[in-house]
Every structure is written in C-alpha cells, then in structure tokens.
Amino acid sequence: MKRIKCIVAYDGTNFLGYQIQNQGRTVQGELEKVLKRMHKGERVPVYASGRTDTHVHALGQVIHFDSPLDLRLENWQKALNAQLPEDISILHVEFVPETFHARYSSIGKEYHYRVLLKKERDPFLRNYSYHFPYDVDVKAMRAGMYHFLGTHDFTSFSSAKSTVENRVRTINRFDVIEMEDELQFQIRGNGFLYNMVRIIIGTVLEVGTGKRDPNEIEKILERKDRASAGKTAPGCGLYLYKVFYE
C-alpha cells in the first residue's frame, strides 16, 4: 500500500464545494469517482488539506489517498488527468510516508482574493473575481489590514455556523497588490476558520469605501462577535493558492 500526495487545481464555478455532499457535484466526489473506477469498484477515500466552499477555486489544493496499485508517479498523474473532468487538474504527484496527512500535516495556507474594480461588470470574469465597482482607498485598507497580523481570536471573522471551539489563528502575511482595474489580496496564516478569509475581505472593502475606520478592526477582533464584522465576500473571488508543510 502506497500513500500518494497530489497538488490539485480546480475551477470551483460548477462545484458545490470540495467536500462530498448528499446531492450536487463536488471536487472530492469527482476525484473518488475516478479512483473507484481505477480500483475496480472499491472506494478509495481522498483526504484534503481542507474544504473549499461553493464556487471557490484552488490553484494548490493538496490531497492524499492510499492505493495498492503499482503505478509509477508519472502514470498516476496521466491516469488521473485522463479521466478527471476539464475543471480539475492534477499538477503534481509524489509518494509520501504513511505519517503524512494532507490536513493534519499542514502548517499553513495562503489564499488569494481577486476584486474587480471596473465600473461595468466583465462577463468573462464574473466567475473568477468579485465585481466591486466602487472607489476604494487602498491606503486606508492597508492600515486596517495591519491589525489582522499576528495571533488573534478570529471569532468575529468566522461564520456563525462554525462549530470549531478554538478560533485562535495566526496571520503571517496580508497584502494587497494593485493592478489595472483589479485588486489581489494575498493572505497567509497557520489556519483559517469557516468563511474567515471572505469575511475579512468583506470588512476590509468596507474600510476601503469609508464605511469603517481602519482602527475599528482591532475593536471588532476584541468583540468576538460575527455581527460586528462586515459582509461575507462572494466565493467566486477566492483561490486556495498554496498549502505549506514542514
């Protein structure tokens, strides 16, 4: 039995998220469907670094699974990509020790979030960025973003549906790259709560439009109340960029 680690990219537009559900198309469902075919009808569980929500994309999702099949690495990649749908791609495959776990071995993640600032919506980018046709003060946003750095209790920036008890996380890096008609937020940390990145982005954009003072972020963190933070930004602009391991 070998443990196989894969780096996976997917277009989340037509998925109800990563994790298998009772109904609807999911990334995990498509991966396990192919593996079941390769293993003559036997289910092969796939474990990921974490779930992504409906319409959220991935450039560097990490998965692992165990298999008795005797295939070379390049053949694993070819076999999987040949059978997977066009909105999923296996970018890298490697054999790893059985102590490796895609989720529990992870020491951090980086997400990117794309915001389109054009006044008119772009039909070709509607599934890949958040259309936000307002003037924003990037300097004010950077001032607000500074307060997220370090270790905090992120209860205020977690979905009310979250059942995780420990909501303390560390943000190592938070930046915004200005491009023509677009902002790209880049955030890296040791872990993220349910909807955490999208709530942070929604709140930072409110700072950018003058609805909130940059220094209010510190107070929102202290309140530990989801109602204190801003709206949850749409899933279409979010990308799981990279997962980090020792």
Side-chain angles (χ1 to χ4, degrees), residues 101-143:
H101 194 285
R103 178 181 177 187
Y104 299 118
S105 299
S106 168
I107 60 171
K109 293 178 181 175
E110 180 172 326
Y111 284 90
H112 291 181
Y113 196 95
R114 295 177 61 186
V115 176
L116 186 67
L117 298 175
K118 287 182 177 180
K119 297 304 179 185
E120 300 298 331
R121 63 180 179 272
D122 187 330
F124 301 104
L125 295 177
R126 72 190 190 283
N127 295 323
Y128 307 105
S129 61
Y130 174 25
H131 182 225
F132 195 76
Y134 308 104
D135 293 329
V136 294
D137 183 340
V138 176
K139 184 177 179 180
M141 288 194 296
R142 288 185 187 278

Side-chain angles (χ1 to χ4, degrees), residues 47-74:
Y47 302 91
S49 69
R51 67 183 71 176
T52 52
D53 294 335
T54 301
H55 305 321
V56 174
H57 313 289
L59 300 171
Q61 173 70 283
V62 175
I63 65 166
H64 85 261
F65 58 88
D66 296 328
S67 173
L69 298 183
D70 187 20
L71 291 178
R72 296 169 62 182
L73 281 177
E74 58 267 32

